[in-house]
Amino acid sequence: TDEIMQQEIRPLVAVDIIEQLHRQFAILSGGRGKDGAPIITFPEFAGFSEIPDDDFLNVVTYLTSIPSLEAASIGFIIIIDRRRDKWSAVKASLTRIAGAFPGNLQLVFVLRPSRFIQRAIADIGIKLYRDDFKMKVPIIMLNSVSDLHGYIDKSQLTRELGGTLEYGHSQWIHHRTAIENFAMTVKTTAQMLQTFGTDLAETELPNDVQCTEELLSSHTEHHSKLKDELKLAVKQGATLLTCIREPVTRSANSKLSPDELENVATVERLLAQLDETEKAFDQFWTKHHLKLEQCLQLRHFEHDFREVKLTLDNLMETQAGFADIGDSVTRVENLLKEQKHLEEKGQEPLEKAQSLALHGEQLIQNNHYAVDSIRPKCVELRRICDDFTNETKKKYDILGKSLELHKQLDKASQWCEAGIYLLASQAVDKCQSQEGAETALVEIEKFLVTAKEHQLSNPKEFYNQFDMILTPEIKANAQRIVQKLEDVQEMFDKRQVSLKKLAAKQTRPVQPVAPHPESSPKRASPKITRPAAVENTSYCFQVRRRGPAAQNGNHALVQGLIEKCISKSQGHIINELIETERVYVEELQSIIEGYASEMDNPNLVHLIPSALQNKKEILFGNLPEIYYFHNRIFLKEIENCIENPELLARCFLKRKEDLQIYEKYCQNKPRSEALWRQCGDSIFFQECQRKLDHKLSLDAYLLKPVQRITKYQLLLKEMLKCSKNSEGTAELEEALATVLDIIKSVNDSMHQIAITGYEGDVSELGKLLMQGSFNVWTDHKKGHNKVKDLARFKPMQRHLFLYTKMLLFCKKREENTDGHEKTASYSFKNSLKMSTVGITENVKGDNKKFEIWYNGREEVYIIQASSVELKNTWISEIRKVLTGQLEACR
């Protein structure tokens, strides 16, 4: 009983009992009784009694499950067709139906056996066994189908029962199978959509761009597949609906049976269910897809924000490092250029930041779900941009003030120099007459009128005006200049007193002598040519009295000429040299440890661009060699000069050969700069600069050695100024000549490596003595008349290289490299062996020309220098070479 109950409640589909249905021992033709009761027909079937109980029960259960609940509740009408059978078959059928029919019964019609004997037996049997069938509904025995027509309309009966109802069992099975398959498809599709929707709802949003893109792609692909499944299901349902309606479509007179109408309703209901499922899924997908797209937008925004923020932070850090306000006009102007460069460098990241902030605000306006994450980042970007802009403006204001301050200090300093020069240039012998004294007074009064130009007449007002930028160093400098102004003013006051006395009374002449040759009255005023940094330079005047009468002469004038001035001491210059040398050594060390060594750091190798691989020696040249020399040797030697400044010159003379390392460094510099232009903006260098906390990028530090070697000659010149006519002057002059020679050698070698087209080896030409650009005419005696005629009018621009063995003629070419400054190269044109040339030092008509001739003047090169001095220098060098060759021959 339990098994039967389980079978009754187990939902059946046609495909489960397809073989039993094809046997056709029971059919649901679609006909209805007069009250709408569904009709199940048991056609004549020879082996009815042999049908297994399970098969019978499954088929009958399946057939009773097909009509709607409303129709099934009316009760089923059963028609048992046993016209060709025996009473035993009728009995067996009724017994089986009574025992196993799962639905409500209304009526049972039995078409009794048609043979006479069997009909009689059936009449008797039905009376005897009616109670045995245990049926609570009437069993009506019918003799013929015409009797059946009295109970059921012909239109509800199949042709086998004398009706007009069209019924094809195979087609019915096909429709049932298709409807149930479609129902299963709808159910499966709905489950797939629900599962996918659950997966989407439970998906955690990724935290990076790549994973978000992959997730969006995966979900979109899955969504497309499900949409295809949906379209396929809808198409399947539409096709099925067309098949069921096919009889009506084919013939206007045809009508669908109630069961067929129910099939149509079922399919339409399933299609509607599918449509609702699709709409709900599309609505959910739209929201989910929008969230994924917004997530991707957010991840892109966050990625771009991190990159832009890093760049802006580095920019702000670099800007914060520009704390220097300059200590001279030149320095301030350079700082302004650096600030301008930084501003230009920051333009692109600032524009990116503004654009990204605008993009973030657009995301917020478009109702992005992560407003709380996006808005603070937009605010941060705009804040940094405003900070940089405001800080830049502040830097410009401060540097502008600093420039104005130093210009005023320079003007004041130059005014002092000009005043001292004026006083020194007034010849005392000319001032002895009344007219001469009055003329000198007028000159002084005119000069004193120009005091307004330096604007330092009111120091308190000056200090108030520049209070915000007055560092202790600048204030000390300003105080020195103010003191100097007072001293000069005092000198003028004393001179005026003396001259006024002379204008009223004749005095004996006194001859002033300037302490330096450059202060001679015969020279032009040094107001323009003298360097700006002269605040400590002294001007002392020695007074030489003429004759014994001068011993008791004009004491006031003598005192006026003994002027007080402040000089830059040797100790101060030595201290400056040592301090800058220490800084230089520290900078070299930071380059080597912070950049060169980091190129071998395995943690940073992945940041090094491929173009830089294995090119450390090209980028840094012999910088380690320079660092070793200065750190271990040169710095220690010049530190020993603090107590003995006179030893400084010997340091340079002693290390003359060692300092030649700069020539090698400078020769490599063009290759280093080319490599930097190619790789300088890489993340590797930015990371190194960040770690070192350098304000400037590496290329600025790689320029330090070139700047340093030129700095030495400036310091030596300052030392020489303070040591004129004193002990050690000769050595200082020799040291200065040595450094200048090294600088010249470096400069010459830089030009030499740019020679192209020379097939020989320039290293075999001897030492490079001179190089420079000239106008050149050629004159050939044998033939070449055309060349000779042209030579008189049109010169050639040639760059000459003078070696001990050869003179090279080259043509200078300048090329732009990737938008950077022009680089010069020298294309080889001609050469003359120095062993076969002669010179003519003067050419008629132009004192800047000289001749170099070849093979007894067969070829003559007329060379025009830019100045007479340059011509004389070249002639001197050429003469030395030729003289040296003559001595070697002897």
Side-chain angles (χ1 to χ4, degrees), residues 804-817:
T804 53
K805 296 181 181 179
M806 190 83 76
L807 177 65
L808 300 187
F809 291 80
C810 299
K811 185 173 183 179
K812 186 176 181 180
R813 302 181 188 279
E814 290 186 341
E815 298 173 357
N816 284 327
T817 56

Side-chain angles (χ1 to χ4, degrees), residues 754-864:
I755 297 173
T756 61
Y758 181 69
E759 294 181 357
D761 185 354
V762 292
S763 64
E764 296 177 357
L765 303 181
K767 184 180 178 183
L768 177 60
L769 304 172
M770 300 285 286
Q771 55 81 27
S773 293
F774 297 88
N775 289 331
V776 178
W777 290 261
T778 59
D779 189 356
H780 300 276
K781 282 191 175 179
K782 293 184 178 179
H784 306 292
N785 289 329
K786 188 174 181 181
V787 174
K788 184 175 180 180
D789 292 339
L790 285 173
R792 297 177 182 176
F793 303 104
K794 189 175 180 181
M796 295 177 290
Q797 303 297 318
R798 290 292 182 261
H799 201 90
L800 273 56
F801 292 86
L802 176 62
Y803 295 88
T804 53
K805 296 181 181 179
M806 190 83 76
L807 177 65
L808 300 187
F809 291 80
C810 299
K811 185 173 183 179
K812 186 176 181 180
R813 302 181 188 279
E814 290 186 341
E815 298 173 357
N816 284 327
T817 56
D818 303 329
H820 292 77
E821 61 185 28
K822 292 181 178 179
T823 57
S825 64
Y826 302 99
S827 177
F828 172 74
K829 293 296 179 183
N830 192 18
S831 64
L832 298 175
K833 288 183 180 179
M834 292 305 292
S835 59
T836 60
V837 302
I839 61 168
T840 304
E841 296 184 9
N842 295 301
V843 175
K844 187 177 179 182
D846 192 338
N847 60 355
K848 290 185 287 186
K849 288 182 180 178
F850 63 99
E851 289 181 345
I852 297 179
W853 39 266
Y854 185 64
N855 279 352
R857 298 187 67 85
E858 257 183 31
E859 294 179 23
V860 178
Y861 294 86
I862 303 166
I863 298 169
Q864 183 184 47

Side-chain angles (χ1 to χ4, degrees), residues 359-631:
H359 175 58
E361 287 165 359
Q362 287 172 348
L363 291 179
I364 293 170
Q365 288 176 2
N366 294 335
N367 299 318
H368 197 285
Y369 70 85
V371 172
D372 292 340
S373 173
I374 296 170
R375 182 171 282 120
K377 291 180 174 63
C378 294
V379 172
E380 176 73 359
L381 288 172
R382 294 203 184 280
R383 183 192 65 76
I384 296 175
C385 289
D386 290 343
D387 286 352
F388 181 80
T389 304
N390 293 335
E391 196 61 31
T392 299
K393 185 177 181 302
K394 186 178 174 184
K395 294 280 187 191
Y396 275 128
D397 290 344
I398 290 173
L399 289 174
K401 276 278 185 188
S402 179
L403 185 63
E404 185 182 350
L405 178 145
H406 286 102
K407 281 184 175 178
Q408 288 193 25
L409 291 178
D410 281 2
K411 277 185 180 179
S413 183
Q414 289 165 8
W415 185 85
C416 290
E417 287 184 57
I420 292 168
Y421 185 82
L422 174 63
L423 292 173
S425 63
Q426 288 182 335
V428 177
D429 54 351
K430 291 182 179 177
C431 296
Q432 301 306 305
S433 66
Q434 185 177 0
E435 184 183 352
E438 288 173 351
T439 302
L441 277 170
V442 171
E443 288 176 351
I444 289 172
E445 286 167 3
K446 283 182 180 178
F447 181 78
L448 289 175
V449 172
T450 63
K452 295 177 182 178
E453 293 177 8
H454 57 67
Q455 299 177 351
L456 286 184
S457 52
N458 189 338
K460 186 175 180 182
E461 185 181 325
F462 174 81
Y463 291 144
N464 289 338
Q465 182 183 355
F466 297 105
D467 183 57
M468 62 180 288
I469 59 167
L470 279 177
T471 63
E473 293 81 6
I474 293 175
K475 192 167 185 178
N477 186 25
Q479 286 172 345
R480 282 196 296 271
I481 293 175
V482 168
Q483 182 60 49
K484 189 173 178 181
L485 282 167
E486 291 174 0
D487 292 344
V488 171
Q489 187 63 51
E490 184 183 348
M491 290 160 59
F492 274 113
D493 291 344
K494 289 179 179 179
R495 177 65 65 86
Q496 281 178 312
V497 170
S498 301
L499 288 172
K500 283 175 183 177
K501 288 180 181 178
L502 287 169
K505 180 185 176 182
Q506 292 297 315
T507 58
R508 303 173 80 170
V510 180
Q511 175 64 44
V513 180
H516 307 306
E518 59 266 30
S519 297
S520 169
K522 294 180 181 178
R523 294 176 60 89
S525 170
K527 278 202 288 184
I528 297 172
T529 58
R530 202 171 285 278
V534 292
E535 62 273 12
N536 292 328
T537 305
S538 67
Y539 297 86
C540 303
F541 300 90
Q542 299 171 347
V543 179
R544 187 167 65 244
R545 299 172 185 261
R546 293 184 179 175
Q551 297 293 334
N552 301 315
N554 192 348
H555 183 69
L557 181 60
V558 173
Q559 291 300 319
L561 291 172
I562 303 175
E563 314 288 2
K564 174 188 174 184
C565 299
I566 305 168
S567 69
K568 183 182 285 183
S569 69
Q570 290 181 336
H572 178 76
I573 298 171
I574 291 288
N575 285 333
E576 182 183 353
L577 174 61
I578 292 170
E579 286 305 313
T580 55
E581 185 75 11
R582 286 170 181 162
V583 172
Y584 176 53
V585 169
E586 287 172 6
E587 287 174 337
L588 293 182
Q589 183 180 3
S590 71
I591 298 169
I592 292 166
E593 293 178 356
Y595 286 99
S597 297
E598 289 295 273
M599 288 180 71
D600 301 322
N601 184 344
N603 296 327
L604 297 179
V605 166
H606 66 285
L607 298 178
I608 300 175
S610 56
L612 191 61
Q613 298 286 349
N614 303 318
K615 292 184 180 175
K616 182 164 53 169
E617 290 184 3
I618 293 176
L619 184 63
F620 296 99
N622 63 331
L623 197 70
E625 185 183 4
I626 293 173
Y627 169 66
Y628 181 87
F629 166 68
H630 284 271
N631 184 45

Side-chain angles (χ1 to χ4, degrees), residues 16 94 117 124 172 214 295 313 336 570 584 623 642 782 849 875:
D16 294 338
L94 287 171
I117 295 173
I124 297 167
W172 181 88
E214 289 172 358
C295 177
D313 287 345
L336 282 166
Q570 290 181 336
Y584 176 53
L623 197 70
I642 293 177
K782 293 184 178 179
K849 288 182 180 178
I875 288 174

Side-chain angles (χ1 to χ4, degrees), residues 35-39 70-77 101 103-107:
D35 57 355
I39 298 172
E70 183 183 354
S73 66
I74 298 171
F76 287 89
I77 295 173
F101 193 79
N104 296 327
L105 280 173
Q106 187 187 90
L107 280 172

